[in-house]
Amino acid sequence: MEIRLLGPGAPDRLSALPTILAVEHPVRLSREQLILRLWPGADSESARNRLRVGLSRLRSEGLLDETPAGVRLDPARVRVDLVEALAALTLAASEPDVNTERRMLVELLPTLELSVLPDLEADWVLDRRSEWSLAAADAVSRLLDLCAETRDSEAAVRAAEAGLAHFPQDPAFWRARLVALGRLGRSAEAARLFQDARRRMRREGADFDPDLLDLAPSMAAGGDWDPQPEFTRGEAGLLLRTLQRMLEAEPDEAAALLAGRAFRREM
């Protein structure tokens, strides 16, 4: 049996008891913990009777794993998409080859943008949702770093949007989205998305941080947009002196370096 906790419509019409067990899967919960989550403030005897009925139903379906320490859904019979997604993130993080890691994270993007039980607002849901959002955001940030190294702007746009699905006002994800769209020649689209988001924020009495607001004129200008690093006067002078010495000492190597795409991108 597969239980879906991620995305709209989850958890596939399950009753509250298996949903709670799925959210905590594969951790065991005591009967007291289940009662507090299912029927807080209810008559204790009535709550225990209702819990016995619910557990009996799961037991008859062969889905329950019980010990004196507590109960859980049987890991041999039940799969939970959230647990599998977290395991996939752990596997990607342990991958030594960065290209393989990037590919694995790109494949996970449709899952990374989803929220845990978005239609429920119980405390036990909110805690798990927050944990998943943080894990997804960490994975997105890692993918954005890998996309920056490989200049994969298409994947960077998708990654930034996945991050914004969890943290809609995050400046790092917004900057990554705008930069990637600009590099793809979609500056007008970037400017429109940014301004629409800013209008929504300002209606709520908030705004983006000043550094992000500085991107707006560049986005509105249209065309490819690729921000260049800024150097202090001292750093710029040191760079120029270094290049001059290289040209004097090794002109052929210096010319090859200056003509290289990687050098132009960084400097």
Side-chain angles (χ1 to χ4, degrees):
M1 178 181 182
E2 183 172 0
I3 296 178
R4 185 170 59 91
L5 299 178
L6 295 168
D12 297 328
R13 299 180 299 280
L14 289 178
S15 63
L17 176 57
T19 300
I20 289 176
L21 293 172
V23 166
E24 299 295 340
H25 193 70
V27 175
R28 296 183 186 277
L29 294 176
S30 69
R31 285 164 173 77
E32 290 73 20
Q33 288 175 311
L34 288 170
I35 288 174
L36 286 174
R37 296 187 185 192
L38 285 164
W39 307 288
D43 175 77
S44 58
E45 186 60 32
S46 173
R48 281 194 291 271
N49 288 335
R50 293 166 70 181
L51 179 61
R52 278 194 290 269
V53 172
L55 292 176
S56 176
R57 184 178 297 113
L58 292 175
R59 192 181 301 114
S60 67
E61 296 174 359
L63 301 177
L64 204 59
D65 177 20
E66 300 177 271
T67 71
V71 299
R72 65 177 180 175
L73 297 174
D74 188 349
R77 299 287 305 277
V78 176
R79 298 169 51 198
V80 179
D81 63 350
L82 175 60
V83 175
E84 293 184 341
L86 290 169
L89 292 183
T90 300
L91 184 62
S94 65
E95 172 57 51
D97 181 74
V98 293
N99 290 320
T100 302
E101 180 187 6
R102 181 174 60 85
R103 177 182 55 78
M104 294 170 69
L105 291 174
V106 168
E107 292 174 355
L108 283 169
L109 280 175
T111 299
L112 290 174
E113 68 184 7
L114 299 176
S115 179
V116 173
L117 299 173
D119 300 324
L120 298 179
E121 295 299 324
D123 289 342
W124 51 271
V125 173
L126 297 179
D127 291 342
R128 194 61 160 159
R129 184 183 300 159
S130 177
E131 292 173 2
W132 165 247
S133 291
L134 291 173
D138 285 345
V140 165
S141 296
R142 172 58 178 164
L143 178 55
L144 287 171
D145 289 341
L146 296 174
C147 289
E149 294 176 7
T150 58
R151 306 287 283 181
D152 188 348
S153 296
E154 292 282 0
V157 171
R158 294 174 55 204
E161 290 171 349
L164 290 169
H166 295 278
F167 300 100
Q169 300 176 8
D170 185 273
F173 292 147
W174 264 108
R175 182 177 181 83
R177 186 188 197 186
L178 297 180
V179 169
L181 286 171
R183 286 173 175 164
L184 291 170
R186 296 160 61 185
S187 298
E189 177 186 350
R192 176 179 54 79
L193 290 169
F194 182 71
Q195 292 304 326
D196 289 345
R198 190 182 182 199
R199 290 189 193 98
R200 291 192 296 270
M201 288 181 63
R202 296 183 72 177
R203 284 196 295 267
E204 299 171 0
D207 204 346
F208 287 113
D209 64 52
D211 289 341
L212 199 56
L213 292 175
D214 288 342
L215 291 182
S218 300
M219 292 293 101
D224 290 345
W225 188 80
D226 197 354
Q228 300 300 315
E230 297 180 357
F231 297 95
T232 66
R233 185 183 299 272
E235 291 170 336
L238 177 61
L239 177 61
L240 290 173
R241 288 194 297 273
T242 301
L243 292 176
Q244 184 175 5
R245 293 192 188 103
M246 290 178 62
L247 286 167
E248 293 172 351
E250 300 288 347
D252 292 339
E253 287 78 358
L257 174 64
L258 291 169
R261 293 182 61 190
F263 180 85
R264 291 204 305 272
R265 179 170 70 247
E266 295 299 327
M267 298 300 180

